[in-house]
């Protein structure tokens, strides 16, 4: 079964760097998504890379609009029929953050949007793209080395955060963001249990913590982070790809940080 990769969304931030990293280090087809400006996103992702542009497909996905997710999954079904292809690597990376340092700062609309983006968005992505993952009886073509270096099983990696850990919560604050990422960890564990049943050892799901990265999402908080703990997007993308390569079957259903260390629930 021929492999392909998915990064959603991929127009900016960590996901943008992840898409470029996958394009650079594999020769498999890559599907990236954006809410708008699809051609601009494709141009930006390919800029400066020595890769065949035909490998990259950009599809419209807005995680707040389930029909766009369903349409993108249907397109991928046509491009990569499951009888001959399998979704070998998926990074699902939507993210939104509103700072809430005290309960008084909680805004219901902002909180709802946070959950819809950070938790429900990935959940709907899993709903529609799960049929493209390998089943128990699937066999990856041994002669296909387009994703050489990656594990033989398919890996679905959803972006979480250390603040989603309840046992690690010693500072408080960030109510909606913390709760939404705790929800992500539960979704990943539940989905991995599903994969155990339908895919066996052929597919796993994990959650990832990238650290504090120089992106628009975290910009307001750069001043409070030690210089050595504020990471460049390209460097983090490399670390996260390496984590996916090393986690293995024993690491399925868990949350892992950029250094490959497990984050407790």
């Amino acid at each position: 079964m021929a492999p392909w990769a998915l990064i959603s969304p991929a127009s900016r931030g960590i996901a943008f760097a992840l898409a470029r990293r996958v394009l650079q280090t594999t020769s498999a087809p890559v599907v990236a998504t954006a809410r708008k400006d699809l051609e601009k996103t494709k141009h930006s992702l390919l800029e400066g890379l020595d890769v065949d542009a035909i490998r990259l497909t950009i599809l419209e996905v807005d995680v707040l609009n389930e029909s766009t997710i369903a349409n993108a999954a249907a397109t991928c079904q046509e491009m990569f029929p499951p009888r001959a292809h399998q979704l070998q690597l998926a990074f699902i990376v939507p993210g939104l953050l509103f700072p809430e340092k005290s309960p008084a700062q909680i805004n219901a609309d902002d909180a709802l949007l946070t959950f819809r983006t950070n938790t429900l968005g990935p959940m709907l992505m899993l709903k529609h793209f799960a049929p493209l993952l390998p089943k128990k009886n699937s066999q990856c073509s041994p002669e296909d080395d387009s994703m050489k270096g990656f594990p033989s099983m398919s890996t679905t990696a959803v972006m979480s955060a250390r603040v989603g850990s309840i046992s690690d919560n010693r500072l408080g604050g960030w109510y909606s963001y913390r709760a939404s990422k705790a929800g992500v960890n539960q979704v990943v564990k539940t989905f991995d249990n599903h994969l155990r049943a339908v895919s066996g050892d052929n597919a796993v799901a994990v959650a990832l913590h990238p650290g504090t990265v120089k992106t628009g999402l975290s910009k307001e908080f750069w001043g409070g982070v030690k210089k050595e703990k504020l990471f460049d997007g390209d460097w983090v993308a490399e670390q996260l790809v390496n984590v996916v390569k090393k986690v293995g079957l024993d690491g399925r259903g868990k949350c892992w940080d950029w250094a490959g260390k497990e984050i407790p629930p």
Side-chain angles (χ1 to χ4, degrees), residues 12 25 41 49 126 206 256 262:
R12 57 191 176 89
T25 58
T41 298
L49 300 186
L126 298 178
V206 297
W256 300 91
E262 182 183 352

Side-chain angles (χ1 to χ4, degrees), residues 85-104:
H85 301 79
Q86 67 182 35
L87 177 51
Q88 191 70 19
L89 175 66
F91 284 107
I92 301 176
V93 203
L96 184 67
L97 167 63
F98 291 101
E100 301 157 336
K101 296 181 180 180
S102 72

Side-chain angles (χ1 to χ4, degrees), residues 84-167:
H85 301 79
Q86 67 182 35
L87 177 51
Q88 191 70 19
L89 175 66
F91 284 107
I92 301 176
V93 203
L96 184 67
L97 167 63
F98 291 101
E100 301 157 336
K101 296 181 180 180
S102 72
Q105 292 179 308
I106 297 172
N107 175 279
D109 291 337
D110 290 346
L112 181 59
L113 182 58
T114 299
F115 276 93
R116 290 187 64 202
T117 304
N118 295 354
T119 314
L120 183 59
M123 198 184 306
L124 294 175
M125 290 289 294
L126 298 178
K127 170 186 174 180
H128 290 284
F129 280 90
L132 293 162
L133 297 173
K135 304 298 187 291
K136 281 185 177 179
N137 60 353
S138 300
Q139 290 187 341
C140 201
S141 302
E143 69 276 8
D144 192 320
D145 63 353
S146 58
M147 296 198 73
K148 188 175 181 179
F150 283 87
S152 58
M153 75 278 193
S154 168
T155 303
T156 298
V158 184
M159 198 63 69
S160 184
R162 188 178 300 278
V163 296
S165 168
I166 295 174
S167 60

